[in-house]
Amino acid sequence: MRFATWNVNSIRTRVDRVIAFLERSGTDVLAMQEIKCRPDQFPIAPFEAAGYQVAIHGLNQWNGVAVASRLPIVETQDHFLTQPAFGEPPVIEARALGVTVDTTEALPARDQQASSMTIWSLYVPNGREVTHAHYAYKLEWLANLAEQGRSWLADPAAQIALVGDWNVAPLDEDVWDVDAFEGATHVSAPEREAFAAFAADGWVEVTRERVTNYTYWDYQKLRFPKNEGMRIDFAYCSPALAARVSAAHIDRDERKGKGASDHVPVIVDVN
């Protein structure tokens, strides 16, 4: 089977491109971020026409996450326990959606451990500036997710993927010029430590060793033609699921052409 993650930067603007990607790539489950709409505004009909169910979590025109699946969706969670709130009054933003799918249609029925898989579509807070309250919120958000993740890994057979826009460039090579980011978010030591904590807990980032490319290019300053990008979209898998991963891809071409998102899909194949 094949799953993917993609910050679509407004699903209503890019629904045609998303459907075309699904049909072209043969993706079974797509985790989307920054859908920027409420569930009643989400363009469900084109997904259903293409054979996909959709789970949606959006509160307004900001943030928002969704999962489209052509495998049966059996459970959804619109936040993780201890997910922190932000703002005044504090609100638990639409930044995490966990969807459990029945994989028996895609994987051998004899493999009981693979009867279901949970994919979390994650849109980690940006942080804005290292002195901003949003930066402290970002670190708390990642720390609380890691805490929840440790409880999920207590089951050695767990089939879980934490995928999405992490808004962290873990290594210097993940930005076109690390000196240009001096003093900025995404590359600061606390953010990188928060990201690395997942690997220390046992999660396996399954794309790094299989594919090299950026996943995001800003719309400004001709960043894409100059290939001045960032690698901030990742897939952390539980060990049992990581053992099944056979390939990973970054669809760089999806950044080309009219109406492209500033992110591209990150694709993972599972045996």
Side-chain angles (χ1 to χ4, degrees), residues 2-254:
R2 169 170 284 182
F3 68 86
T5 178
W6 189 5
N7 180 323
V8 296
N9 192 11
S10 179
I11 186 59
R12 289 178 289 179
T13 300
R14 280 171 253 287
V15 60
D16 292 342
R17 291 190 70 131
V18 173
I19 296 299
F21 163 75
L22 288 172
E23 294 177 339
R24 179 181 72 252
S25 66
T27 295
D28 297 295
V29 184
L30 174 64
M32 293 170 276
Q33 302 85 43
E34 268 201 289
I35 61 170
K36 296 185 176 180
C37 68
R38 302 186 308 268
D40 62 293
Q41 299 171 315
F42 192 100
I44 295 176
F47 286 87
E48 292 180 338
Y52 290 81
Q53 294 177 261
V54 185
I56 307 157
H57 182 36
L59 301 177
N60 47 41
Q61 74 273 30
W62 309 112
N63 309 319
V65 281
V67 174
S69 175
R70 59 183 179 187
L71 303 176
I73 295 175
V74 297
E75 184 180 355
T76 62
Q77 304 171 70
D78 65 8
H79 66 286
F80 57 87
L81 292 176
T82 73
Q83 182 174 328
F86 184 76
E88 194 59 47
V91 174
I92 296 179
E93 297 179 306
R95 291 183 175 275
L97 178 65
V99 173
T100 300
V101 297
D102 182 346
T103 61
T104 54
E105 295 182 11
L107 298 172
R110 66 178 181 274
D111 194 341
Q112 296 302 311
Q113 290 185 352
S115 61
S116 67
M117 180 175 70
T118 299
I119 293 182
W120 280 90
S121 181
L122 305 172
Y123 180 42
V124 176
N126 176 281
R128 301 179 187 173
E129 299 173 355
V130 294
T131 57
H132 198 284
H134 208 257
Y135 179 79
Y137 166 55
K138 177 180 190 175
L139 295 180
E140 181 185 12
W141 204 96
L142 285 166
N144 289 13
L145 176 61
E147 178 185 19
Q148 290 299 303
R150 287 190 288 273
S151 69
W152 297 334
L153 291 183
D155 176 6
Q159 306 282 321
I160 305 174
L162 310 178
V163 306
D165 178 358
W166 291 77
N167 269 317
V168 179
L171 304 178
D172 287 356
E173 66 195 54
D174 294 331
V175 294
W176 78 91
D177 181 1
V178 71
D179 292 335
F181 285 82
E182 184 176 358
T185 61
H186 291 59
V187 301
S188 71
E191 291 168 284
R192 288 179 165 183
E193 290 166 5
F195 184 88
F198 289 83
D201 288 339
W203 296 94
V204 181
E205 205 296 303
V206 297
T207 70
R208 172 76 67 184
E209 295 183 355
R210 294 178 168 88
V211 61
T212 300
N213 213 327
Y214 299 135
T215 64
Y216 164 85
W217 296 260
D218 195 293
Y219 291 127
Q220 305 299 318
K221 301 181 181 179
L222 298 174
R223 294 297 190 203
F224 184 64
K226 296 177 182 177
N227 199 31
E228 294 179 348
M230 304 174 69
R231 187 173 189 168
I232 56 177
D233 302 84
F234 297 96
Y236 264 124
C237 292
S238 59
L241 179 58
R244 298 177 179 277
V245 172
S246 59
H249 317 270
I250 294 173
D251 189 353
R252 187 182 186 279
D253 287 347
E254 192 54 56

